PDB file of all heavy atoms in Angstrom:
ATOM      1  N   GLY A 226     -47.479  46.243 -76.138  1.00 82.00           N
ATOM      2  CA  GLY A 226     -48.214  45.068 -75.620  1.00 82.00           C
ATOM      3  C   GLY A 226     -49.299  45.630 -74.530  1.00 82.00           C
ATOM      4  O   GLY A 226     -50.376  45.010 -74.695  1.00 82.00           O
ATOM      5  N   GLN A 227     -49.006  46.584 -73.674  1.00 81.00           N
ATOM      6  CA  GLN A 227     -50.108  47.041 -72.831  1.00 81.00           C
ATOM      7  C   GLN A 227     -51.118  47.836 -73.555  1.00 81.00           C
ATOM      8  O   GLN A 227     -52.335  47.697 -73.268  1.00 81.00           O
ATOM      9  CB  GLN A 227     -49.421  47.914 -71.813  1.00 81.00           C
ATOM     10  CG  GLN A 227     -48.496  47.188 -70.883  1.00 81.00           C
ATOM     11  CD  GLN A 227     -47.947  48.015 -69.923  1.00 81.00           C
ATOM     12  OE1 GLN A 227     -48.133  49.287 -69.840  1.00 81.00           O
ATOM     13  NE2 GLN A 227     -47.029  47.502 -68.996  1.00 81.00           N
ATOM     14  N   ALA A 228     -50.728  48.511 -74.655  1.00 82.00           N
ATOM     15  CA  ALA A 228     -51.735  49.234 -75.430  1.00 82.00           C
ATOM     16  C   ALA A 228     -52.660  48.359 -76.251  1.00 82.00           C
ATOM     17  O   ALA A 228     -53.918  48.565 -76.302  1.00 82.00           O
ATOM     18  CB  ALA A 228     -51.062  50.217 -76.408  1.00 82.00           C
ATOM     19  N   ILE A 229     -52.145  47.235 -76.660  1.00 82.00           N
ATOM     20  CA  ILE A 229     -53.052  46.284 -77.513  1.00 82.00           C
ATOM     21  C   ILE A 229     -53.768  45.405 -76.721  1.00 82.00           C
ATOM     22  O   ILE A 229     -54.749  44.761 -77.130  1.00 82.00           O
ATOM     23  CB  ILE A 229     -52.046  45.546 -78.516  1.00 82.00           C
ATOM     24  CG1 ILE A 229     -51.394  46.539 -79.566  1.00 82.00           C
ATOM     25  CG2 ILE A 229     -52.918  44.595 -79.341  1.00 82.00           C
ATOM     26  CD1 ILE A 229     -50.481  45.975 -80.447  1.00 82.00           C
ATOM     27  N   GLY A 230     -53.361  45.126 -75.493  1.00 75.00           N
ATOM     28  CA  GLY A 230     -54.035  44.269 -74.565  1.00 75.00           C
ATOM     29  C   GLY A 230     -53.350  42.826 -74.401  1.00 75.00           C
ATOM     30  O   GLY A 230     -53.911  41.914 -74.043  1.00 75.00           O
ATOM     31  N   PHE A 231     -52.027  42.858 -74.887  1.00 71.00           N
ATOM     32  CA  PHE A 231     -51.269  41.515 -74.784  1.00 71.00           C
ATOM     33  C   PHE A 231     -50.333  41.530 -73.663  1.00 71.00           C
ATOM     34  O   PHE A 231     -49.321  40.778 -73.673  1.00 71.00           O
ATOM     35  CB  PHE A 231     -50.457  41.359 -76.174  1.00 71.00           C
ATOM     36  CG  PHE A 231     -51.318  41.050 -77.321  1.00 71.00           C
ATOM     37  CD1 PHE A 231     -50.787  40.989 -78.520  1.00 71.00           C
ATOM     38  CD2 PHE A 231     -52.735  40.620 -77.201  1.00 71.00           C
ATOM     39  CE1 PHE A 231     -51.504  40.674 -79.704  1.00 71.00           C
ATOM     40  CE2 PHE A 231     -53.348  40.334 -78.255  1.00 71.00           C
ATOM     41  CZ  PHE A 231     -52.801  40.311 -79.511  1.00 71.00           C
ATOM     42  N   SER A 232     -50.576  42.304 -72.578  1.00 67.00           N
ATOM     43  CA  SER A 232     -49.508  42.444 -71.439  1.00 67.00           C
ATOM     44  C   SER A 232     -49.519  41.063 -70.650  1.00 67.00           C
ATOM     45  O   SER A 232     -48.437  40.774 -70.122  1.00 67.00           O
ATOM     46  CB  SER A 232     -50.093  43.604 -70.611  1.00 67.00           C
ATOM     47  OG  SER A 232     -51.354  43.235 -69.962  1.00 67.00           O
ATOM     48  N   ASN A 233     -50.495  40.241 -70.802  1.00 66.00           N
ATOM     49  CA  ASN A 233     -50.472  38.949 -70.090  1.00 66.00           C
ATOM     50  C   ASN A 233     -50.041  37.885 -70.996  1.00 66.00           C
ATOM     51  O   ASN A 233     -49.726  36.587 -70.505  1.00 66.00           O
ATOM     52  CB  ASN A 233     -51.932  38.554 -69.565  1.00 66.00           C
ATOM     53  CG  ASN A 233     -52.383  39.504 -68.467  1.00 66.00           C
ATOM     54  OD1 ASN A 233     -51.386  39.886 -67.697  1.00 66.00           O
ATOM     55  ND2 ASN A 233     -53.616  39.808 -68.334  1.00 66.00           N
ATOM     56  N   ALA A 234     -49.891  38.130 -72.301  1.00 61.00           N
ATOM     57  CA  ALA A 234     -49.398  37.015 -73.242  1.00 61.00           C
ATOM     58  C   ALA A 234     -47.944  37.218 -73.298  1.00 61.00           C
ATOM     59  O   ALA A 234     -47.312  38.069 -73.870  1.00 61.00           O
ATOM     60  CB  ALA A 234     -50.024  37.282 -74.660  1.00 61.00           C
ATOM     61  N   GLN A 235     -47.205  36.331 -72.553  1.00 63.00           N
ATOM     62  CA  GLN A 235     -45.740  36.428 -72.441  1.00 63.00           C
ATOM     63  C   GLN A 235     -45.119  35.113 -73.021  1.00 63.00           C
ATOM     64  O   GLN A 235     -45.780  34.008 -73.015  1.00 63.00           O
ATOM     65  CB  GLN A 235     -45.273  36.518 -70.895  1.00 63.00           C
ATOM     66  CG  GLN A 235     -45.839  37.939 -70.353  1.00 63.00           C
ATOM     67  CD  GLN A 235     -45.233  38.151 -68.940  1.00 63.00           C
ATOM     68  OE1 GLN A 235     -44.594  37.297 -68.530  1.00 63.00           O
ATOM     69  NE2 GLN A 235     -45.619  39.276 -68.434  1.00 63.00           N
ATOM     70  N   MET A 236     -43.810  35.245 -73.353  1.00 64.00           N
ATOM     71  CA  MET A 236     -43.013  34.071 -73.824  1.00 64.00           C
ATOM     72  C   MET A 236     -41.633  34.377 -73.568  1.00 64.00           C
ATOM     73  O   MET A 236     -41.194  35.436 -72.998  1.00 64.00           O
ATOM     74  CB  MET A 236     -43.314  34.009 -75.296  1.00 64.00           C
ATOM     75  CG  MET A 236     -42.716  35.173 -76.165  1.00 64.00           C
ATOM     76  SD  MET A 236     -42.841  34.968 -78.066  1.00 64.00           S
ATOM     77  CE  MET A 236     -41.608  33.623 -78.188  1.00 64.00           C
ATOM     78  N   PHE A 237     -40.814  33.295 -73.718  1.00 63.00           N
ATOM     79  CA  PHE A 237     -39.339  33.517 -73.447  1.00 63.00           C
ATOM     80  C   PHE A 237     -38.810  34.349 -74.498  1.00 63.00           C
ATOM     81  O   PHE A 237     -38.713  34.114 -75.689  1.00 63.00           O
ATOM     82  CB  PHE A 237     -38.647  32.217 -73.379  1.00 63.00           C
ATOM     83  CG  PHE A 237     -37.194  32.206 -73.052  1.00 63.00           C
ATOM     84  CD1 PHE A 237     -36.755  32.438 -71.808  1.00 63.00           C
ATOM     85  CD2 PHE A 237     -36.254  31.998 -74.065  1.00 63.00           C
ATOM     86  CE1 PHE A 237     -35.446  32.575 -71.555  1.00 63.00           C
ATOM     87  CE2 PHE A 237     -34.964  32.008 -73.866  1.00 63.00           C
ATOM     88  CZ  PHE A 237     -34.494  32.350 -72.534  1.00 63.00           C
ATOM     89  N   ASP A 238     -38.048  35.532 -74.035  1.00 62.00           N
ATOM     90  CA  ASP A 238     -37.330  36.281 -75.014  1.00 62.00           C
ATOM     91  C   ASP A 238     -35.836  35.877 -75.043  1.00 62.00           C
ATOM     92  O   ASP A 238     -35.187  35.991 -74.082  1.00 62.00           O
ATOM     93  CB  ASP A 238     -37.430  37.720 -74.596  1.00 62.00           C
ATOM     94  CG  ASP A 238     -36.820  38.669 -75.548  1.00 62.00           C
ATOM     95  OD1 ASP A 238     -36.360  38.201 -76.622  1.00 62.00           O
ATOM     96  OD2 ASP A 238     -36.861  40.016 -75.386  1.00 62.00           O
ATOM     97  N   PRO A 239     -35.481  35.315 -76.174  1.00 58.00           N
ATOM     98  CA  PRO A 239     -33.960  34.798 -76.268  1.00 58.00           C
ATOM     99  C   PRO A 239     -32.981  35.931 -76.196  1.00 58.00           C
ATOM    100  O   PRO A 239     -31.711  35.608 -75.985  1.00 58.00           O
ATOM    101  CB  PRO A 239     -33.896  33.993 -77.628  1.00 58.00           C
ATOM    102  CG  PRO A 239     -35.047  34.751 -78.435  1.00 58.00           C
ATOM    103  CD  PRO A 239     -36.081  35.009 -77.428  1.00 58.00           C
ATOM    104  N   THR A 240     -33.477  37.145 -76.595  1.00 58.00           N
ATOM    105  CA  THR A 240     -32.463  38.202 -76.462  1.00 58.00           C
ATOM    106  C   THR A 240     -31.969  38.635 -75.145  1.00 58.00           C
ATOM    107  O   THR A 240     -30.881  38.841 -74.744  1.00 58.00           O
ATOM    108  CB  THR A 240     -33.042  39.462 -77.247  1.00 58.00           C
ATOM    109  OG1 THR A 240     -33.495  39.107 -78.483  1.00 58.00           O
ATOM    110  CG2 THR A 240     -32.074  40.649 -77.402  1.00 58.00           C
ATOM    111  N   PHE A 241     -33.050  38.785 -74.202  1.00 58.00           N
ATOM    112  CA  PHE A 241     -32.679  39.167 -72.875  1.00 58.00           C
ATOM    113  C   PHE A 241     -32.707  38.020 -71.881  1.00 58.00           C
ATOM    114  O   PHE A 241     -32.541  38.180 -70.713  1.00 58.00           O
ATOM    115  CB  PHE A 241     -33.621  40.256 -72.374  1.00 58.00           C
ATOM    116  CG  PHE A 241     -33.580  41.532 -73.227  1.00 58.00           C
ATOM    117  CD1 PHE A 241     -34.345  41.927 -74.184  1.00 58.00           C
ATOM    118  CD2 PHE A 241     -32.466  42.464 -72.863  1.00 58.00           C
ATOM    119  CE1 PHE A 241     -34.233  42.993 -74.860  1.00 58.00           C
ATOM    120  CE2 PHE A 241     -32.324  43.652 -73.628  1.00 58.00           C
ATOM    121  CZ  PHE A 241     -33.180  43.934 -74.612  1.00 58.00           C
ATOM    122  N   GLN A 242     -33.193  36.864 -72.378  1.00 61.00           N
ATOM    123  CA  GLN A 242     -33.250  35.475 -71.598  1.00 61.00           C
ATOM    124  C   GLN A 242     -34.057  35.735 -70.512  1.00 61.00           C
ATOM    125  O   GLN A 242     -33.714  35.356 -69.308  1.00 61.00           O
ATOM    126  CB  GLN A 242     -31.782  35.077 -71.184  1.00 61.00           C
ATOM    127  CG  GLN A 242     -30.816  34.896 -72.361  1.00 61.00           C
ATOM    128  CD  GLN A 242     -29.486  34.397 -71.971  1.00 61.00           C
ATOM    129  OE1 GLN A 242     -29.330  33.871 -70.834  1.00 61.00           O
ATOM    130  NE2 GLN A 242     -28.468  34.504 -72.809  1.00 61.00           N
ATOM    131  N   THR A 243     -35.242  36.317 -70.669  1.00 65.00           N
ATOM    132  CA  THR A 243     -36.323  36.545 -69.602  1.00 65.00           C
ATOM    133  C   THR A 243     -37.627  36.311 -70.193  1.00 65.00           C
ATOM    134  O   THR A 243     -37.792  36.266 -71.435  1.00 65.00           O
ATOM    135  CB  THR A 243     -36.197  37.956 -68.919  1.00 65.00           C
ATOM    136  OG1 THR A 243     -36.240  38.755 -70.063  1.00 65.00           O
ATOM    137  CG2 THR A 243     -34.927  38.084 -68.296  1.00 65.00           C
ATOM    138  N   GLN A 244     -38.736  36.256 -69.377  1.00 67.00           N
ATOM    139  CA  GLN A 244     -40.043  36.271 -69.829  1.00 67.00           C
ATOM    140  C   GLN A 244     -40.492  37.677 -70.217  1.00 67.00           C
ATOM    141  O   GLN A 244     -40.250  38.521 -69.427  1.00 67.00           O
ATOM    142  CB  GLN A 244     -41.038  35.650 -68.773  1.00 67.00           C
ATOM    143  CG  GLN A 244     -40.908  34.222 -68.583  1.00 67.00           C
ATOM    144  CD  GLN A 244     -41.279  33.319 -69.593  1.00 67.00           C
ATOM    145  OE1 GLN A 244     -42.060  33.728 -70.319  1.00 67.00           O
ATOM    146  NE2 GLN A 244     -40.750  32.102 -69.859  1.00 67.00           N
ATOM    147  N   SER A 245     -41.085  37.820 -71.398  1.00 68.00           N
ATOM    148  CA  SER A 245     -41.387  39.182 -71.826  1.00 68.00           C
ATOM    149  C   SER A 245     -42.718  39.025 -72.695  1.00 68.00           C
ATOM    150  O   SER A 245     -43.132  38.028 -73.050  1.00 68.00           O
ATOM    151  CB  SER A 245     -40.269  39.755 -72.635  1.00 68.00           C
ATOM    152  OG  SER A 245     -40.024  39.098 -73.785  1.00 68.00           O
ATOM    153  N   ILE A 246     -43.247  40.175 -72.833  1.00 72.00           N
ATOM    154  CA  ILE A 246     -44.452  40.279 -73.711  1.00 72.00           C
ATOM    155  C   ILE A 246     -44.200  39.745 -75.113  1.00 72.00           C
ATOM    156  O   ILE A 246     -43.086  39.998 -75.618  1.00 72.00           O
ATOM    157  CB  ILE A 246     -45.076  41.660 -73.722  1.00 72.00           C
ATOM    158  CG1 ILE A 246     -45.308  42.155 -72.245  1.00 72.00           C
ATOM    159  CG2 ILE A 246     -46.348  41.931 -74.426  1.00 72.00           C
ATOM    160  CD1 ILE A 246     -45.654  43.561 -71.979  1.00 72.00           C
ATOM    161  N   VAL A 247     -45.166  39.219 -75.735  1.00 77.00           N
ATOM    162  CA  VAL A 247     -45.041  38.620 -77.096  1.00 77.00           C
ATOM    163  C   VAL A 247     -44.537  39.647 -78.126  1.00 77.00           C
ATOM    164  O   VAL A 247     -43.627  39.470 -78.809  1.00 77.00           O
ATOM    165  CB  VAL A 247     -46.257  37.932 -77.587  1.00 77.00           C
ATOM    166  CG1 VAL A 247     -46.107  37.561 -78.940  1.00 77.00           C
ATOM    167  CG2 VAL A 247     -46.633  36.791 -76.622  1.00 77.00           C
TER     168      VAL A 247
END
Side-chain angles (χ1 to χ4, degrees):
Q227 293 181 0
I229 298 176
F231 287 172
S232 57
N233 292 327
Q235 297 189 356
M236 62 176 293
F237 179 75
D238 188 355
T240 304
F241 297 100
Q242 301 185 18
T243 56
Q244 291 289 333
S245 61
I246 299 175
V247 173

